[in-house]
């Protein structure tokens, strides 16, 4: 195996340091002197290399060195999607042999190798990272026919060092032939592309979507020996969707090798026919959508100002029907209830699409794979995912498009119960609201239900099968009647027209939905890491103020039930275990001490960033910086894992005049609780505060 010169130099340096640490050189000199004295004949002038190696091996020097030098082989990180057969992902820089993979010899596989990257000009001046230095990285995520993969992170550079291989199983899921090995003709009819998403992670752990690319892999079916090399030019996203960000060199190979390859003419003709068929369906739907919109405006001219969203741009700047962003999605055993699904969507990060310069909000509805891999997105991305999950649980769910306070565009989810109950689900917070319409025909003195939801207007609702525009006199959510079968209140689109472009397999331009992946976070390990980091940050902060810090481990342990209860309440809306927690705290708190808590919610795993946010609250800062003769601090971190390694941090706040003072830090990936005890004379009773989210 050959290494680049810089890698070889680095390896030599590491070996030299290890040999110096073991003092091998002095031991070799001693053995050399003994060997010359005992074994060298008087007529010999020098000792051969073979004789010296034999002497070193006999004395055990070589064995000792080999024990100290541990060689570890790195494999690509593989995500675990929810599917009966786990996909295979491996990396081999020199050989294309398949190693230790669960290959079924009766199935057909596509071996996709990413050989290298080049022309990532944004990183042209990026310095080469030193060994052990934290740097920004690229990660390549793939999805193909219910299989997901993730490459090893590589440092960002003009020519990133991508060297990964992914073994994709090619099979048919219909027609009763799912167990047969697919031949060339069968595979030519499989139009699913390989969806590739490139993610950049900076030194602070923040992720950025760099590119989203759909690879047409069927060209390999017409290549000699079933092997082909190609280049994939990656384009930017959003406003940069017409700008190239880099190029990937890719090698495709069929395994086992094809007995008979197709001609390039046959493959090209099939692809052209599919493209023509898709273009015709999209054209007909566009014609129908324009006609529907004209009819909608004829009902009432003021409808022109309502948020009726028929098409939306994805990350590649392509206009797609909004119904194509939603599909029933089953989470298998990763999520058990609809409310747990709402909690999962809530802990995914919220970030509006970046805008270059001014001009307001940039529209960008991400495909599901891009949203999940980046682990954050806009309100529309959250609403589409939550609606898909609720549809998977058998609920009648819709995405609502309208406005919040001050006319800010927003998207949320609505479910319709069999008894007519309308429930709003806020995907960014996980909160649920029951909608009760205000009756405008009642006299002014009549008591009307007061809305608790933040929504002001609604323009349309949709899911994977239906699209309905609000044609009521007022688009106010408060007065809206959600009888979707009443065409005088909701103008529907033809379900057949929607099905022609949004049904699975209807068009080749429709991105397939990926499965959810189990979390890769180790709950216990991550809990300990965050807890130690928070302790260190609090201690350092108090030290800078000239204060000492005393930690109480028993008190920290008593906080665990509270953290579990907080998370249970968020996923079920049921409070449990609070009595036992309060009783334990009362027993643990000495007389004459005051208790106070601080609730705050995070969706990131950076302990330093969470601590800085806590300090921006005067209540939290007061607790951390408390002074007294008997100040004791306690912190407890508990991790609750969710799919896609999503996590959140909760910092609950409570105020009791006769308890102890405290801060709670928590997380769905991690939940923490930090509290401080201090003499009562230093603490005045303060009113309870509402939860604050950051």
């Amino acid at each position: 195996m050959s290494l680049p010169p810089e890698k070889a130099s680095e390896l030599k340096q590491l070996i030299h340091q290890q040999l110096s640490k073991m003092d091998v050189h002095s031991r070799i000199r001693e053995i050399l002197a003994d060997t010359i004295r005992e074994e060298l004949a008087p007529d010999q002038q020098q000792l051969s290399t073979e004789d010296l190696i034999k002497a070193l091996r006999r004395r055990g020097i070589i064995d000792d060195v080999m024990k100290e030098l541990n060689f570890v082989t790195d494999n690509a990180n593989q995500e675990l999607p929810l599917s009966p057969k786990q996909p295979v992902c491996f990396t081999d820089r020199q050989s294309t042999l398949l190693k230790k993979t669960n290959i079924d010899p009766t199935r057909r596989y596509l071996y996709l190798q990413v050989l290298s990257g080049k022309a990532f000009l944004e990183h042209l001046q990026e310095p080469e990272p030193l060994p052990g230095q934290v740097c920004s990285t690229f990660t390549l995520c793939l999805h193909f026919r219910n299989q997901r993969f993730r490459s090893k992170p590589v440092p960002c550079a003009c020519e990133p060092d991508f060297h990964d291989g992914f073994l994709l199983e090619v099979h048919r899921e219909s027609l009763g032939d799912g167990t047969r090995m697919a031949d060339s003709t069968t595979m030519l009819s499989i139009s699913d592309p390989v969806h590739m998403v490139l993610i950049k992670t900076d030194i602070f752990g923040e992720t950025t979507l760099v590119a989203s690319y759909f690879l047409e892999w069927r060209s390999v079916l017409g290549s000699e020996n079933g092997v082909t090399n190609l280049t994939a030019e990656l384009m930017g996203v959003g406003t940069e969707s017409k700008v190239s960000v880099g190029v990937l060199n890719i090698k495709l190979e069929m395994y086992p090798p094809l007995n008979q390859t197709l001609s390039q003419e046959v493959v090209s003709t099939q692809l052209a026919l599919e493209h023509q068929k898709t273009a015709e369906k999209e054209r007909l739907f566009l014609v129908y959508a324009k006609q529907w919109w004209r009819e909608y405006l004829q009902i009432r001219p003021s409808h022109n100002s309502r948020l009726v969203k028929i098409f939306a741009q994805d990350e590649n700047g392509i206009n797609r029907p909004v119904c194509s962003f939603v599909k029933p999605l089953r989470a298998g055993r990763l999520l058990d209830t609809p409310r747990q699904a709402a909690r999962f969507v809530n802990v995914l990060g919220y970030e509006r699409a970046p805008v270059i310069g001014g001009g307001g909000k940039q529209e960008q509805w991400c495909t599901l794979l891009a949203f999940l891999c980046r682990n954050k997105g806009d309100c529309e991305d959250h609403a589409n995912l939550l609606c898909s999950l609720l549809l998977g649980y058998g609920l009648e769910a819709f995405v609502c498009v309208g406005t919040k306070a001050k006319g800010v565009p927003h998207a949320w989810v609505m479910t319709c119960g069999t008894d007519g109950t309308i429930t709003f689900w806020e995907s960014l917070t996980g909160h649920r609201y029951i909608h009760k319409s205000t009756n405008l025909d009642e006299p002014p003195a009549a008591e009307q239900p007061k809305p608790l939801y933040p929504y002001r207007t609604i323009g349309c609702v949709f899911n994977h099968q239906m699209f309905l525009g609000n044609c009521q006199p007022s688009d106010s959510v408060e007065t809206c009647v959600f009888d979707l079968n009443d065409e005088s209140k909701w103008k529907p689109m033809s379900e057949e027209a929607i099905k022609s472009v949004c049904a699975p397999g209807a068009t080749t331009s429709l991105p397939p939905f990926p499965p959810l992946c189990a979390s890769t976070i180790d709950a216990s390990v991550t809990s300990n890491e965050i807890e130690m980091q928070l302790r260190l940050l609090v201690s350092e902060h108090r030290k800078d103020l000239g204060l000492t810090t005393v930690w109480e481990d028993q008190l920290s342990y008593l906080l665990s039930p509270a953290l579990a209860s907080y998370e249970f309440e968020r996923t079920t809306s049921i409070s449990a275990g609070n009595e036992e927690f309060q009783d334990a705290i009362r027993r643990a708190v000495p007389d004459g001490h005051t208790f106070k808590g601080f609730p705050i919610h995070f969706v990131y795993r950076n302990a330093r960033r969470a601590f800085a946010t806590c300090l921006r609250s005067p209540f939290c800062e007061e607790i951390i910086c408390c002074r007294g003769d008997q100040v004791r601090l306690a912190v407890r971190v508990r991790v609750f894992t969710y799919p896609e390694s999503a996590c959140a941090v909760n910092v609950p706040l409570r105020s009791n005049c006769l308890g102890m003072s405290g801060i709670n830090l928590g997380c769905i990936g991690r939940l923490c609780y930090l509290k401080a005890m201090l003499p009562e004379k230093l603490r005045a009773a303060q009113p309870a505060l509402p939860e604050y989210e950051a």
Side-chain angles (χ1 to χ4, degrees), residues 11-58:
L11 181 60
K12 289 179 181 178
Q13 183 179 0
L14 293 174
I15 294 176
H16 178 73
Q17 292 175 356
Q18 186 65 33
L19 294 178
S20 301
K21 179 181 177 181
M22 297 173 60
D23 197 21
V24 171
H25 297 88
S26 60
R27 296 171 65 182
I28 291 177
R29 283 193 292 269
E30 293 175 3
I31 294 174
L32 179 60
D34 293 341
T35 303
I36 293 176
R37 184 173 57 256
E38 297 173 3
E39 301 180 12
L40 192 61
D43 56 338
Q44 285 183 292
Q45 299 298 322
Q46 61 182 6
L47 192 68
S48 67
T49 303
E50 290 76 13
D51 294 334
L52 179 58
I53 292 178
K54 289 179 181 178
L56 294 175
R57 183 176 288 110
R58 190 166 56 249

Side-chain angles (χ1 to χ4, degrees), residues 459-682:
C460 64
V461 299
F462 67 88
N463 60 18
H464 64 301
Q465 294 177 331
M466 301 173 64
F467 183 95
L468 302 106
N470 182 6
C471 55
Q472 300 174 57
S474 172
D475 62 351
S476 171
V477 177
E478 188 175 348
T479 61
C480 187
V481 176
F482 287 93
D483 182 3
L484 302 183
N485 295 320
D486 187 348
E487 295 191 8
S488 66
K489 295 180 172 61
W490 295 92
K491 179 174 174 55
M493 269 194 172
S494 167
E495 293 189 22
E496 288 299 320
I498 295 174
K499 186 178 179 181
S500 68
V501 291
C502 297
T507 64
T508 56
S509 62
L510 194 63
F513 268 46
L516 296 181
C517 289
S519 175
T520 58
I521 294 177
D522 188 313
S524 299
V525 173
T526 309
S527 298
N528 291 333
E529 290 177 353
I530 300 296
E531 187 170 310
M532 292 300 102
Q533 292 173 14
L534 287 174
R535 284 196 178 197
L536 181 61
L537 291 170
V538 172
S539 299
E540 289 180 347
H541 185 77
R542 290 176 58 84
K543 183 179 179 181
D544 293 340
L545 299 176
L547 302 174
T548 59
T549 305
V550 179
W551 296 100
E552 186 172 332
D553 293 336
Q554 174 61 19
L555 189 58
S556 298
Y557 182 73
L558 295 182
L559 303 177
S560 297
L563 304 182
S565 177
Y566 297 152
E567 189 55 32
F568 181 76
E569 184 176 358
R570 279 188 172 272
T571 55
T572 63
S573 301
I574 300 174
S575 178
N578 193 41
E579 298 82 2
E580 295 85 351
F581 169 69
Q582 291 185 0
D583 184 68
I585 292 299
R586 291 191 185 100
R587 292 176 179 274
V589 178
D591 293 336
H593 286 69
T594 314
F595 169 70
K596 186 179 180 182
F598 181 79
I600 190 168
H601 173 71
F602 300 103
V603 293
Y604 42 81
R605 295 179 286 176
N606 190 320
R608 185 173 296 275
R609 180 180 172 188
F611 181 70
T613 303
C614 289
L615 289 180
R616 287 198 291 270
S617 166
F619 307 100
C620 181
E621 184 182 19
E622 180 185 2
I623 296 168
I624 294 178
C625 304
C626 60
R627 299 170 182 266
D629 297 332
Q630 301 177 18
V631 176
R632 289 178 291 166
L633 300 174
V635 62
R636 186 65 174 178
V637 178
R638 170 70 192 279
V639 171
F640 297 90
T641 59
Y642 280 78
E644 303 296 331
S645 299
C647 70
V649 181
N650 301 322
V651 186
L653 176 122
R654 297 289 183 271
S655 177
N656 297 314
C657 59
L658 294 176
M660 69 169 67
S661 230
I663 308 173
N664 303 339
L665 290 140
C667 139
I668 284 207
R670 289 165 290 277
L671 219 54
C672 350
Y673 192 85
L674 167 68
K675 71 165 48 172
M677 292 192 305
L678 61 162
E680 181 180 3
K681 63 181 181 180
L682 297 178

